[in-house]
mmCIF file with all atom_site columns, all heavy atoms in Angstrom:
data_model
loop_
_atom_site.group_PDB
_atom_site.id
_atom_site.type_symbol
_atom_site.label_atom_id
_atom_site.label_alt_id
_atom_site.label_comp_id
_atom_site.label_asym_id
_atom_site.label_entity_id
_atom_site.label_seq_id
_atom_site.pdbx_PDB_ins_code
_atom_site.Cartn_x
_atom_site.Cartn_y
_atom_site.Cartn_z
_atom_site.occupancy
_atom_site.B_iso_or_equiv
_atom_site.pdbx_formal_charge
_atom_site.auth_seq_id
_atom_site.auth_comp_id
_atom_site.auth_asym_id
_atom_site.auth_atom_id
_atom_site.pdbx_PDB_model_num
ATOM 1  N N   . LEU L 1 370 ? 89.021  97.123  114.072 1.00 87.00 ? 370 LEU L N   1
ATOM 2  C CA  . LEU L 1 370 ? 88.624  95.793  113.355 1.00 87.00 ? 370 LEU L CA  1
ATOM 3  C C   . LEU L 1 370 ? 87.937  96.099  111.972 1.00 87.00 ? 370 LEU L C   1
ATOM 4  O O   . LEU L 1 370 ? 88.092  95.471  111.065 1.00 87.00 ? 370 LEU L O   1
ATOM 5  C CB  . LEU L 1 370 ? 87.731  94.989  114.253 1.00 87.00 ? 370 LEU L CB  1
ATOM 6  C CG  . LEU L 1 370 ? 88.347  94.289  115.444 1.00 87.00 ? 370 LEU L CG  1
ATOM 7  C CD1 . LEU L 1 370 ? 87.314  93.673  116.310 1.00 87.00 ? 370 LEU L CD1 1
ATOM 8  C CD2 . LEU L 1 370 ? 89.319  93.298  114.910 1.00 87.00 ? 370 LEU L CD2 1
ATOM 9  N N   . PHE L 1 371 ? 87.165  97.265  112.000 1.00 87.00 ? 371 PHE L N   1
ATOM 10 C CA  . PHE L 1 371 ? 86.542  97.634  110.758 1.00 87.00 ? 371 PHE L CA  1
ATOM 11 C C   . PHE L 1 371 ? 87.559  98.276  109.762 1.00 87.00 ? 371 PHE L C   1
ATOM 12 O O   . PHE L 1 371 ? 87.586  97.960  108.542 1.00 87.00 ? 371 PHE L O   1
ATOM 13 C CB  . PHE L 1 371 ? 85.402  98.605  110.991 1.00 87.00 ? 371 PHE L CB  1
ATOM 14 C CG  . PHE L 1 371 ? 84.159  97.966  111.439 1.00 87.00 ? 371 PHE L CG  1
ATOM 15 C CD1 . PHE L 1 371 ? 83.827  97.908  112.775 1.00 87.00 ? 371 PHE L CD1 1
ATOM 16 C CD2 . PHE L 1 371 ? 83.283  97.412  110.505 1.00 87.00 ? 371 PHE L CD2 1
ATOM 17 C CE1 . PHE L 1 371 ? 82.610  97.323  113.196 1.00 87.00 ? 371 PHE L CE1 1
ATOM 18 C CE2 . PHE L 1 371 ? 82.160  96.742  110.893 1.00 87.00 ? 371 PHE L CE2 1
ATOM 19 C CZ  . PHE L 1 371 ? 81.826  96.679  112.248 1.00 87.00 ? 371 PHE L CZ  1
ATOM 20 N N   . GLY L 1 372 ? 88.447  99.072  110.301 1.00 85.00 ? 372 GLY L N   1
ATOM 21 C CA  . GLY L 1 372 ? 89.595  99.580  109.509 1.00 85.00 ? 372 GLY L CA  1
ATOM 22 C C   . GLY L 1 372 ? 89.138  100.701 108.500 1.00 85.00 ? 372 GLY L C   1
ATOM 23 O O   . GLY L 1 372 ? 87.998  100.770 108.130 1.00 85.00 ? 372 GLY L O   1
ATOM 24 N N   . GLY L 1 373 ? 90.105  101.514 108.170 1.00 85.00 ? 373 GLY L N   1
ATOM 25 C CA  . GLY L 1 373 ? 89.788  102.509 107.150 1.00 85.00 ? 373 GLY L CA  1
ATOM 26 C C   . GLY L 1 373 ? 90.004  101.985 105.689 1.00 85.00 ? 373 GLY L C   1
ATOM 27 O O   . GLY L 1 373 ? 90.128  100.755 105.579 1.00 85.00 ? 373 GLY L O   1
ATOM 28 N N   . VAL L 1 374 ? 89.943  102.860 104.746 1.00 87.00 ? 374 VAL L N   1
ATOM 29 C CA  . VAL L 1 374 ? 90.005  102.351 103.305 1.00 87.00 ? 374 VAL L CA  1
ATOM 30 C C   . VAL L 1 374 ? 91.475  102.608 102.837 1.00 87.00 ? 374 VAL L C   1
ATOM 31 O O   . VAL L 1 374 ? 91.955  103.696 102.848 1.00 87.00 ? 374 VAL L O   1
ATOM 32 C CB  . VAL L 1 374 ? 89.150  103.166 102.395 1.00 87.00 ? 374 VAL L CB  1
ATOM 33 C CG1 . VAL L 1 374 ? 89.164  102.651 100.997 1.00 87.00 ? 374 VAL L CG1 1
ATOM 34 C CG2 . VAL L 1 374 ? 87.684  103.116 103.026 1.00 87.00 ? 374 VAL L CG2 1
ATOM 35 N N   . PRO L 1 375 ? 92.235  101.490 102.455 1.00 85.00 ? 375 PRO L N   1
ATOM 36 C CA  . PRO L 1 375 ? 93.524  101.731 101.931 1.00 85.00 ? 375 PRO L CA  1
ATOM 37 C C   . PRO L 1 375 ? 93.427  102.312 100.529 1.00 85.00 ? 375 PRO L C   1
ATOM 38 O O   . PRO L 1 375 ? 92.497  101.912 99.728  1.00 85.00 ? 375 PRO L O   1
ATOM 39 C CB  . PRO L 1 375 ? 94.119  100.261 101.855 1.00 85.00 ? 375 PRO L CB  1
ATOM 40 C CG  . PRO L 1 375 ? 92.974  99.361  101.965 1.00 85.00 ? 375 PRO L CG  1
ATOM 41 C CD  . PRO L 1 375 ? 91.868  100.107 102.559 1.00 85.00 ? 375 PRO L CD  1
ATOM 42 N N   . LYS L 1 376 ? 94.336  103.189 100.217 1.00 85.00 ? 376 LYS L N   1
ATOM 43 C CA  . LYS L 1 376 ? 94.341  103.920 98.897  1.00 85.00 ? 376 LYS L CA  1
ATOM 44 C C   . LYS L 1 376 ? 95.709  103.793 98.227  1.00 85.00 ? 376 LYS L C   1
ATOM 45 O O   . LYS L 1 376 ? 96.667  103.668 98.921  1.00 85.00 ? 376 LYS L O   1
ATOM 46 C CB  . LYS L 1 376 ? 93.840  105.350 99.070  1.00 85.00 ? 376 LYS L CB  1
ATOM 47 C CG  . LYS L 1 376 ? 92.594  105.570 99.834  1.00 85.00 ? 376 LYS L CG  1
ATOM 48 C CD  . LYS L 1 376 ? 92.393  107.025 100.093 1.00 85.00 ? 376 LYS L CD  1
ATOM 49 C CE  . LYS L 1 376 ? 91.213  107.234 101.070 1.00 85.00 ? 376 LYS L CE  1
ATOM 50 N NZ  . LYS L 1 376 ? 91.544  106.783 102.358 1.00 85.00 ? 376 LYS L NZ  1
ATOM 51 N N   . THR L 1 377 ? 95.610  103.981 96.902  1.00 83.00 ? 377 THR L N   1
ATOM 52 C CA  . THR L 1 377 ? 96.893  104.030 96.158  1.00 83.00 ? 377 THR L CA  1
ATOM 53 C C   . THR L 1 377 ? 96.930  105.251 95.338  1.00 83.00 ? 377 THR L C   1
ATOM 54 O O   . THR L 1 377 ? 95.955  105.478 94.629  1.00 83.00 ? 377 THR L O   1
ATOM 55 C CB  . THR L 1 377 ? 97.117  102.761 95.211  1.00 83.00 ? 377 THR L CB  1
ATOM 56 O OG1 . THR L 1 377 ? 96.801  101.590 96.056  1.00 83.00 ? 377 THR L OG1 1
ATOM 57 C CG2 . THR L 1 377 ? 98.482  102.669 94.688  1.00 83.00 ? 377 THR L CG2 1
ATOM 58 N N   . THR L 1 378 ? 97.923  106.119 95.418  1.00 83.00 ? 378 THR L N   1
ATOM 59 C CA  . THR L 1 378 ? 97.997  107.308 94.664  1.00 83.00 ? 378 THR L CA  1
ATOM 60 C C   . THR L 1 378 ? 98.367  106.998 93.189  1.00 83.00 ? 378 THR L C   1
ATOM 61 O O   . THR L 1 378 ? 98.744  105.883 92.865  1.00 83.00 ? 378 THR L O   1
ATOM 62 C CB  . THR L 1 378 ? 99.050  108.413 95.232  1.00 83.00 ? 378 THR L CB  1
ATOM 63 O OG1 . THR L 1 378 ? 100.243 107.680 95.205  1.00 83.00 ? 378 THR L OG1 1
ATOM 64 C CG2 . THR L 1 378 ? 98.637  108.670 96.659  1.00 83.00 ? 378 THR L CG2 1
ATOM 65 N N   . MET L 1 379 ? 98.381  108.017 92.387  1.00 85.00 ? 379 MET L N   1
ATOM 66 C CA  . MET L 1 379 ? 98.767  107.889 90.894  1.00 85.00 ? 379 MET L CA  1
ATOM 67 C C   . MET L 1 379 ? 100.262 107.401 90.810  1.00 85.00 ? 379 MET L C   1
ATOM 68 O O   . MET L 1 379 ? 100.629 106.691 89.914  1.00 85.00 ? 379 MET L O   1
ATOM 69 C CB  . MET L 1 379 ? 98.610  109.175 90.152  1.00 85.00 ? 379 MET L CB  1
ATOM 70 C CG  . MET L 1 379 ? 97.200  109.354 89.657  1.00 85.00 ? 379 MET L CG  1
ATOM 71 S SD  . MET L 1 379 ? 96.374  110.572 90.587  1.00 85.00 ? 379 MET L SD  1
ATOM 72 C CE  . MET L 1 379 ? 97.126  112.101 90.035  1.00 85.00 ? 379 MET L CE  1
ATOM 73 N N   . GLU L 1 380 ? 101.080 107.842 91.819  1.00 86.00 ? 380 GLU L N   1
ATOM 74 C CA  . GLU L 1 380 ? 102.464 107.467 91.742  1.00 86.00 ? 380 GLU L CA  1
ATOM 75 C C   . GLU L 1 380 ? 102.721 106.082 92.328  1.00 86.00 ? 380 GLU L C   1
ATOM 76 O O   . GLU L 1 380 ? 103.840 105.712 92.654  1.00 86.00 ? 380 GLU L O   1
ATOM 77 C CB  . GLU L 1 380 ? 103.367 108.484 92.504  1.00 86.00 ? 380 GLU L CB  1
ATOM 78 C CG  . GLU L 1 380 ? 103.410 109.824 91.949  1.00 86.00 ? 380 GLU L CG  1
ATOM 79 C CD  . GLU L 1 380 ? 102.166 110.702 92.416  1.00 86.00 ? 380 GLU L CD  1
ATOM 80 O OE1 . GLU L 1 380 ? 101.760 110.432 93.529  1.00 86.00 ? 380 GLU L OE1 1
ATOM 81 O OE2 . GLU L 1 380 ? 101.711 111.536 91.621  1.00 86.00 ? 380 GLU L OE2 1
#
Side-chain angles (χ1 to χ4, degrees):
L370 288 171
F371 280 98
V374 183
K376 305 173 190 70
T377 312
T378 60
M379 276 104 73
E380 295 86 31

